């Protein structure tokens, strides 16, 4: 019952802190010419690289349709793109792109801007996470009418899941007839409680800065995984854009709905865009640049009054949300496990491969298939080699 939200046209540009290094126009051929003029064929080499990665990544949907699952992130990646995909979690996206002929200037201007907008980080993020981010920036993504949160509420309704509105505080291990039995402790509005389960899937990051519950009676003990998360601040501002800061003294002439930024030390924000409602009527139109509009500003620190004054001539309201949005990617770290214990699974580790709604959905289905196959001892469906050949044979 979900609907595709109607797209509202709007041009983008990349800002260096002093001027725009790249501006989108209404003409597709002119945009291509500008890319070629500034960066040669780097954008074509980028597109070929991203398409190759995505073509291999899409194999996961065929595998899952046939019930295959993987017990580790390394095995999942290896089944899609061999050791090359595993290596992409250990080397930077900049290194990978330079290797295929993308110029340093294109990396500094365009790739850096996309990654600052999506992950709030530099071109040193791992290549696989970078590829996913760059794929999402090519305009093929879409939103749900009414808000993307309807995906989650719709799935809960469809599965008729019994949702307990409470915060899990710990998991303790017991045994029953030779099988592991897990007691989940929680706190809700009615006080503390617990329940026993044959299987448990942990979907919160198990890292020191995020983990807020304990594991008891596990031997060896289940410890937090190394790593930290990247702080992200979203400021939703209803006001009048200060177009003069971007080199447009006359606000009526400001043409952009989305502004990305290069990795410049003096820039205090990562990106900003003129956002639209989650429900878009047929008569909806973007505000004119000289009118008050709703802007979303992404930054690593909360904006102070002077910074808000730099971006806006005046404003009516500012709503600020700060959270630990994405892993702080470090190519030297190993990937977390999927299986924590016999029937205790960890979902959020996939964020250290790449963090997106699609990656989490893929990981969730993998855990569901893995739990099912392990429970029924269908080992032929777990960590199989040469799956492309097996799938073709089954067809």
């Amino acid at each position: 019952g979900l609907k595709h939200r109607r797209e509202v046209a709007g041009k983008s540009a990349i800002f260096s802190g002093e001027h725009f290094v790249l501006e989108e126009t209404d003409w597709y051929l002119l945009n291509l010419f500008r890319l070629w003029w500034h960066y040669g064929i780097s954008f074509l080499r980028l597109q070929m690289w991203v398409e190759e990665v995505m073509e291999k990544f899409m194999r996961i949907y065929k595998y899952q349709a046939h019930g295959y699952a993987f017990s580790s992130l390394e095995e999942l990646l290896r089944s899609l793109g061999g050791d090359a995909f595993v290596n992409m979690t250990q080397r930077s996206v900049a290194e990978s792109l330079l290797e295929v002929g993308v110029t340093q200037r294109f990396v500094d201007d365009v790739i850096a801007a996309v990654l600052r907008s999506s992950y709030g980080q530099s071109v040193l993020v791992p290549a696989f996470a970078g590829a996913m981010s760059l794929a999402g920036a090519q305009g093929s993504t879409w939103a749900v009418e009414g808000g993307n949160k309807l995906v989650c509420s719709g799935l809960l309704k469809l599965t008729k899941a019994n949702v307990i509105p409470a915060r899990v505080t710990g998991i303790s291990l017991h045994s029953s007839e030779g099988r592991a039995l897990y007691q989940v402790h929680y706190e809700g509005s009615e006080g503390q409680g617990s329940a026993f389960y044959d299987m448990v899937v942990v979907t919160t990051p198990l890292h020191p800065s995020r983990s807020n519950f304990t594991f008891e009676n596990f031997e060896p003990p289940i410890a937090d995984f190394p790593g930290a998360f990247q702080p992200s601040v979203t400021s939703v501002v209803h006001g009048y854009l200060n177009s003069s800061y971007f080199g447009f003294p006359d606000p009526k002439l400001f043409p952009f709905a989305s502004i990305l930024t290069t990795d410049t030390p003096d820039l205090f924000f990562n990106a900003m865009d003129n956002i639209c409602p989650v429900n878009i009527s047929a008569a909806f139109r973007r505000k004119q640049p000289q009118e008050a509009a709703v802007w979303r500003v992404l930054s690593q620190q909360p904006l102070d009054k002077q910074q808000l004054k730099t971006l806006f001539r005046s404003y009516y309201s500012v709503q600020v949300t700060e959270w630990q949005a994405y892993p702080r990617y470090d190519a030297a770290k190993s990937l977390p496990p999927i299986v924590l214990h016999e029937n205790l699974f960890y979902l959020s580790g996939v964020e250290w491969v790449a963090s997106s709604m699609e990656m989490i959905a893929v990981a969730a289905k993998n855990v569901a298939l893995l739990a099912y196959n392990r429970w029924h001892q269908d080992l032929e469906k777990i960590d199989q080699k040469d799956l492309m050949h097996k799938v073709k044979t089954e067809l």
Side-chain angles (χ1 to χ4, degrees):
L2 300 181
K3 297 180 181 179
H4 183 180
R5 192 187 75 167
R6 185 171 69 87
E7 296 293 332
V8 180
K11 295 189 286 292
S12 301
I14 299 175
F15 186 61
S16 71
E18 296 180 353
H19 62 278
F20 287 108
V21 298
L22 188 65
E23 302 178 20
E24 188 180 15
T25 72
D26 291 323
W27 294 278
Y28 176 72
L29 290 178
L30 180 56
N31 292 334
L32 287 181
F33 175 78
R34 285 186 171 185
L35 283 169
W36 172 80
W37 183 259
H38 288 290
Y39 308 108
I41 62 172
S42 286
F43 68 97
L44 290 177
R45 286 174 171 158
L46 168 68
Q47 194 166 17
M48 291 171 62
W49 181 76
V50 170
E51 286 179 356
E52 181 183 359
V53 173
M54 293 306 299
E55 183 180 352
K56 292 178 179 178
F57 172 77
M58 296 297 283
R59 294 173 179 174
I60 190 62
Y61 296 108
K62 288 186 179 180
Y63 298 165
Q64 292 184 336
H66 286 76
Y68 289 103
F70 306 93
S71 62
S72 72
L73 294 171
E74 288 86 354
E75 285 294 332
L76 188 153
L77 290 171
R78 200 170 280 115
S79 74
L80 301 176
D83 289 334
F85 265 26
V86 178
N87 293 337
M88 286 178 68
T89 67
Q90 305 297 316
R91 62 198 310 238
S92 73
V93 64
E95 182 182 355
S96 296
L97 289 175
L98 291 172
E99 195 173 81
V100 298
V102 174
T103 65
Q104 185 67 57
R105 183 183 178 192
F106 190 79
V107 169
D108 292 341
D109 287 358
V110 180
I111 308 302
V114 172
L115 293 176
R116 281 170 60 84
S117 173
S118 57
Y119 287 137
Q121 296 173 61
S122 74
V123 294
L124 297 180
V125 304
F128 197 90
M132 290 293 151
S133 176
L134 292 164
Q138 293 186 349
S140 58
T141 56
W142 55 277
V144 173
E145 180 74 19
N148 290 339
K149 66 178 182 180
L150 294 181
V151 174
C152 300
S153 59
L155 286 171
L156 284 174
K157 184 178 180 180
L158 187 66
T159 58
K160 299 178 181 179
N162 177 32
V163 181
I164 301 174
R167 183 180 70 85
V168 174
T169 58
I171 300 173
S172 55
L173 174 63
H174 302 267
S175 62
S176 174
E177 299 178 355
R179 281 185 178 270
L181 193 63
Y182 305 100
Q183 185 178 13
V184 178
H185 306 270
Y186 55 85
E187 289 181 351
S189 57
E190 298 180 356
Q192 296 183 346
S194 69
F196 287 91
Y197 298 92
D198 295 310
M199 296 181 183
V200 174
V201 179
V202 179
T203 61
T204 188
L206 297 177
H207 295 80
S209 62
R210 297 297 307 276
S211 181
N212 56 4
F213 64 90
T214 59
F215 295 95
E216 299 176 0
N217 303 332
F218 287 88
E219 188 59 43
I222 298 175
D224 286 338
F225 301 117
F229 278 73
Q230 173 72 24
S232 181
V233 180
T234 299
S235 303
V236 178
V237 184
H238 180 207
Y240 297 89
L241 184 72
N242 180 18
S243 59
S244 296
Y245 173 65
F246 299 101
F248 288 82
D250 186 349
K252 294 181 181 179
L253 301 179
F254 188 82
F256 306 117
S258 177
I259 304 167
L260 285 69
T261 61
T262 59
D263 196 356
T264 305
D266 292 338
L267 276 172
F268 54 88
F269 70 101
N270 293 336
M272 61 186 297
D273 59 323
N274 183 337
I275 58 176
C276 301
V278 293
N279 294 296
I280 298 179
S281 65
F284 177 82
R285 65 170 181 84
R286 285 190 186 276
K287 296 285 188 180
Q288 295 298 310
Q290 72 275 16
E291 297 178 310
V294 178
W295 290 83
R296 174 178 55 188
V297 185
L298 305 178
S299 58
Q300 295 184 16
Q301 302 292 335
L303 302 178
D304 59 33
K305 289 186 178 180
Q306 183 57 46
Q307 291 168 336
L308 285 168
K309 187 176 179 181
T310 299
L311 294 177
F312 299 93
R313 289 183 286 129
S314 62
Y315 51 87
Y316 297 106
S317 65
V318 180
Q319 296 183 32
V320 180
T321 302
E322 183 175 358
W323 79 105
Q324 304 290 310
Y326 304 104
R328 182 66 194 173
Y329 288 111
D330 183 350
K333 294 197 186 314
S334 59
L335 298 176
I338 292 175
V339 181
L340 299 178
H341 193 258
E342 184 180 329
N343 288 309
L344 177 62
F345 305 96
Y346 181 41
L347 180 61
S348 298
V350 75
E351 285 198 276
W352 296 86
V353 175
S355 184
S356 68
M357 289 179 63
E358 184 170 7
M359 288 296 293
I360 289 292
V362 166
K365 186 162 187 177
N366 177 68
V367 164
L369 291 170
L370 179 63
Y372 180 88
N373 293 337
R374 284 168 64 101
W375 185 265
H376 292 283
Q377 292 295 303
D378 192 357
L379 303 182
E380 292 297 316
K381 291 288 188 178
I382 301 174
D383 294 338
Q384 289 297 303
K385 310 297 181 186
D386 195 21
L387 267 183
M388 280 302 294
H389 177 73
K390 288 181 182 294
V391 168
K392 288 179 181 177
T393 303
E394 290 178 16
L395 290 174

